[in-house]
Amino acid sequence: MKTTSRKIDQIIEPQAVVEGAGVRLKRSIGTRTLDYLDPFLLLDHFQSKNPADYQAGFPLHPHRGIETVTYLLTGAVRHKDSVGNAGEIGPGDLQWMTAGRGIMHEEMPQVRPEGVAGFQLWVNLPAKQKMIAPRYQNIHANEIAAVARDGGATVRVIAGKVDGVAGPISGIAAEPMYLDVSIAPHGSFGLPIPRGHSAFAYVFEGEGKFGPEKRSVATPRLVVWDDGDSVEVSTEERAARFLLVSGKPLNEPIARYGPFVMNTKAEIEQTLRELQAGTFAQ
């Protein structure tokens, strides 16, 4: 059977937004340009050495019905929540939090000379899992394998599998692949992705040629792939580094209100009643 290399559906310039208590971000999923890429609800990129851009952080706030994925490149973020978890993630670490039926948590970037840089991705939960108990998968940098490939690419495998190497994240309904890919100058990279899965690449360093069309994409840009069996990226004089993420669409209705994502308006209204009554996340 003939396989098809995925073409480029969209190239999106991130929008500048301010979230939390005043954190400056670049947002590429969860905007008017791209509201939703089933099952992905939001992608934020934060990067600054100026404490004023990030030190106010994200004080205690609620989530229900989704998973939040925080991947740190530089700096440190301290976190704690309403069910007793607390800690700090540092460079190369990742936290995959399943909010499920509800959690209150805070994330506070630490002021350091190197500043802070990283990403937060929101992944939707299917209806049957929206009210499960919250859980965390905290992954340290040394638990994430780096796969060196022919063609000058190095891949950190966070979720999914590359060349038989599986990432440490497991048990996620969306069957995600989450990779941090670096390609040296004059290099190339290709990888199968299940047909029907949504897929995107977020370029955050350098420049690459994406898809069989070899469209030039420089940082910072989001590449949304069309359907197909695989993706391909190459480089010329400049190296490139990007996130490559894919997941199985849920194909379910979405009712969205800030940090709550359910299937119906009635479920959102129930969530707000619980929040007002003080019974949320108990």
Side-chain angles (χ1 to χ4, degrees):
M1 183 181 294
K2 183 181 178 181
T3 60
T4 305
S5 178
R6 291 179 179 232
K7 295 182 178 179
I8 306 307
D9 181 51
Q10 287 179 279
I11 298 174
I12 293 171
E13 181 177 359
Q15 296 181 9
V17 299
V18 178
E19 284 289 359
V23 180
R24 297 184 180 275
L25 307 161
K26 296 184 181 77
R27 179 167 295 166
S28 48
I29 301 177
T31 69
R32 289 185 178 181
T33 306
L34 182 61
D35 178 57
Y36 179 50
L37 183 65
D38 191 5
F40 306 112
L41 298 154
L42 176 142
L43 179 67
D44 284 342
H45 175 200
F46 49 91
Q47 181 173 10
S48 180
K49 292 184 178 180
N50 179 3
D53 290 342
Y54 65 83
Q55 65 183 350
F58 302 90
L60 203 64
H61 60 282
H63 285 291
R64 172 175 280 179
I66 64 170
E67 302 181 285
T68 67
V69 184
T70 305
Y71 178 42
L72 213 57
L73 301 175
T74 354
V77 175
R78 289 183 184 164
H79 65 91
K80 63 181 180 180
D81 66 26
S82 55
V83 295
N85 295 296
E88 182 174 291
I89 61 173
D93 295 347
L94 179 129
Q95 180 188 86
W96 197 296
M97 184 190 78
T98 303
R101 62 178 175 246
I103 199 166
M104 304 283 294
H105 78 152
E106 70 174 33
E107 300 156 295
M108 304 300 290
Q110 301 301 293
V111 176
R112 304 277 173 86
E114 68 272 26
V116 68
F119 307 92
Q120 187 163 97
L121 174 70
W122 289 9
V123 186
N124 202 8
L125 282 169
K128 65 183 179 182
Q129 292 189 14
K130 284 193 178 292
M131 296 299 284
I132 62 174
R135 70 167 181 150
Y136 283 86
Q137 295 186 66
N138 288 311
I139 307 298
H140 293 290
N142 60 10
E143 298 176 79
I144 300 172
V147 177
R149 309 186 87 212
D150 294 342
T154 302
V155 186
R156 296 192 81 216
V157 187
I158 295 163
K161 189 177 286 189
V162 175
D163 298 346
V165 177
I169 293 294
S170 63
I172 306 298
E175 301 175 14
M177 181 176 68
Y178 191 120
L179 310 176
D180 177 350
V181 182
S182 301
I183 308 177
H186 305 290
S188 61
F189 169 82
L191 194 72
I193 291 181
R195 181 172 282 273
H197 283 210
S198 299
F200 68 83
Y202 184 82
V203 184
F204 61 96
E205 289 180 14
E207 182 176 3
K209 302 284 187 180
F210 284 73
E213 315 97 313
K214 297 195 179 297
R215 290 181 65 178
S216 182
V217 183
T219 183
R221 292 292 186 275
L222 182 87
V223 175
V224 180
W225 303 93
D226 206 345
D227 202 6
D229 303 292
S230 63
V231 296
E232 57 183 90
V233 186
S234 61
T235 54
E236 294 184 341
E237 286 73 23
R238 298 177 68 189
R241 188 177 179 190
F242 54 92
L243 299 182
L244 178 58
V245 181
S246 69
K248 183 179 180 180
L250 302 181
N251 297 314
E252 294 181 351
I254 294 175
R256 187 170 180 166
Y257 186 88
F260 310 126
V261 183
M262 303 301 287
N263 297 102
T264 68
K265 184 180 177 182
E267 290 170 332
I268 293 291
E269 290 169 348
Q270 174 62 31
T271 301
L272 295 175
R273 283 194 295 270
E274 291 176 25
L275 201 63
Q276 291 163 358
T279 59
F280 179 83
Q282 287 189 353

